[in-house]
Amino acid sequence: MDRQRRSHLAHADHPIAAPIADESVARLLDRAVADEADRALDLGCGGGEWLRRLLVRYPWMRAEGVDIHTAALEQAREGAEESEVADRLVLHEMDAAVFASAHRFDVVLSVGAAHAFGGLLPTLAAARELLAPDGHVLVGDGFWEREPDAAALSALGATWDDYADLATTVDRVVADGWTPVYGHVSTAGEWDDYEWSWTGSLSRWALDHREEPDALDAYKVAAEHRSQWLSGYRGTLGFVTLVLRRSP
C-alpha cells in the first residue's frame, strides 16, 4: 500500500497526526496565536488539520501550508473546503526544508515533521527564517521518556542519539536562542488514544474492504505496528510540543 494512503486511512479517527488530544491542540493554538497575529505557516502540514483548526478558531487569520505529498495536500484542500476556510488557505507542494517566502509569519508550526529537516534544531532554524519579529513557533517532536532498550530502538528503527531526555531537549532549544512560553508533554492517555486509533482505523478498513488488493497488507502493517508499540516503545518514546519565542 502506498505510504500516504496508509497514513490517510490510519489517521481517519485521529486527524492530528501526533499523540495530542483535541483539547490540548486548542490550548496550544491559543498560546501560540496572539491577538494581533494574522498570518500562519505550517512546515510539513500533511493533511492540514492544524491549519484547518486554526482558521476555524481564528476567523481573521490567513494561513499557508507546505508539504511534499500531493495526496496529503489534496486532503488539506478538502478539509478546508468542508470547514469553509479554503479562501484563507494557500498550499505549496514542495520540500518544506527549502520553502521561502517574501513575507514573514506570526505563527510558524511544525509538529511531528522534524524528519523533513534533519532534526529539531534544523526545524527551528527553518522556522526562524520565516518568523515575524514577535512571532511564535509551535513545534512538536519526540524525546526519551526513559532510557531506550534494544526492543524500543528496534521497533522505532531509531538509535539512542536520535532523541534526548526532556530536560536536555528543552536545554538545547534554549541554547539555540529560543524561550519556551508554553509546552505540552503528551500524556500516556494521549499516546494510547493515538496508537489505538492508528492501528484500529487501519485494521477496520482492512476488515471492511477484504476484496481490496491492499487489504491484507494494511492488516499486517497495523498488526506489526501494534506489536512494535506495545512490546517496544510504549512508555519509552515521549512527545513534547513547545510554544517558543526568540530569546533577547
Side-chain angles (χ1 to χ4, degrees):
M1 175 179 283
D2 173 78
R3 183 176 178 178
Q4 283 305 303
R5 187 185 186 207
R6 184 177 69 207
S7 177
H8 174 69
L9 293 171
H11 289 107
D13 294 331
H14 201 297
I16 291 291
I20 308 174
D22 290 343
E23 58 271 21
S24 301
V25 170
R27 187 169 60 253
L28 284 160
L29 287 173
D30 283 346
R31 299 299 181 104
V33 177
D35 290 342
E36 65 275 13
D38 66 359
R39 197 185 294 268
L41 170 70
D42 191 340
L43 295 170
C45 66
E49 187 65 17
W50 282 93
L51 292 181
R52 186 191 69 79
R53 296 190 191 197
L54 181 147
L55 291 172
V56 169
R57 196 170 183 86
Y58 314 103
W60 65 88
M61 291 196 71
R62 294 166 290 166
E64 299 183 35
V66 186
D67 203 277
I68 200 169
H69 297 293
T70 303
L73 292 176
E74 183 56 35
Q75 181 185 346
R77 289 188 187 93
E78 291 174 358
E81 288 170 0
E82 290 174 4
S83 296
E84 300 182 344
V85 297
D87 59 325
R88 293 185 282 126
L89 177 63
V90 176
L91 297 170
H92 306 273
E93 185 175 347
M94 62 182 297
D95 185 348
V98 299
F99 176 76
S101 176
H103 51 257
R104 295 294 177 261
F105 297 86
D106 303 297
V107 182
V108 177
L109 306 94
S110 189
V111 180
H115 59 275
F117 301 88
L120 177 58
L121 295 186
T123 303
L124 291 174
R128 181 182 278 114
E129 295 300 314
L130 296 158
L131 188 65
D134 293 324
H136 293 72
V137 172
L138 196 161
V139 64
D141 198 22
F143 70 93
W144 295 128
E145 289 267 16
R146 63 187 180 192
E147 185 93 9
D149 59 17
L153 294 175
S154 176
L156 293 165
T159 62
W160 181 88
D161 57 1
D162 281 344
Y163 302 106
D165 61 33
L166 179 60
T168 303
T169 299
V170 174
D171 284 348
R172 290 173 178 174
V173 169
V174 171
D176 195 47
W178 300 95
T179 298
V181 295
Y182 188 65
H184 173 74
V185 175
S186 296
T187 66
E190 285 176 307
W191 263 111
D192 285 353
D193 181 59
Y194 174 70
E195 296 288 7
W196 285 123
S197 295
W198 199 103
T199 57
S201 297
L202 195 57
S203 297
R204 185 175 63 249
W205 180 86
L207 292 170
D208 289 345
H209 298 83
R210 297 171 194 243
E211 73 286 354
E212 291 271 355
D214 289 331
L216 182 58
D217 179 53
Y219 187 83
K220 290 179 177 178
V221 166
E224 181 181 15
H225 186 107
R226 185 174 59 247
S227 177
Q228 289 171 334
W229 162 53
L230 291 172
S231 301
Y233 62 87
R234 184 174 185 261
T236 298
L237 181 65
F239 196 85
V240 61
T241 310
L242 300 169
V243 180
L244 306 170
R245 294 183 63 181
R246 287 187 182 91
S247 300

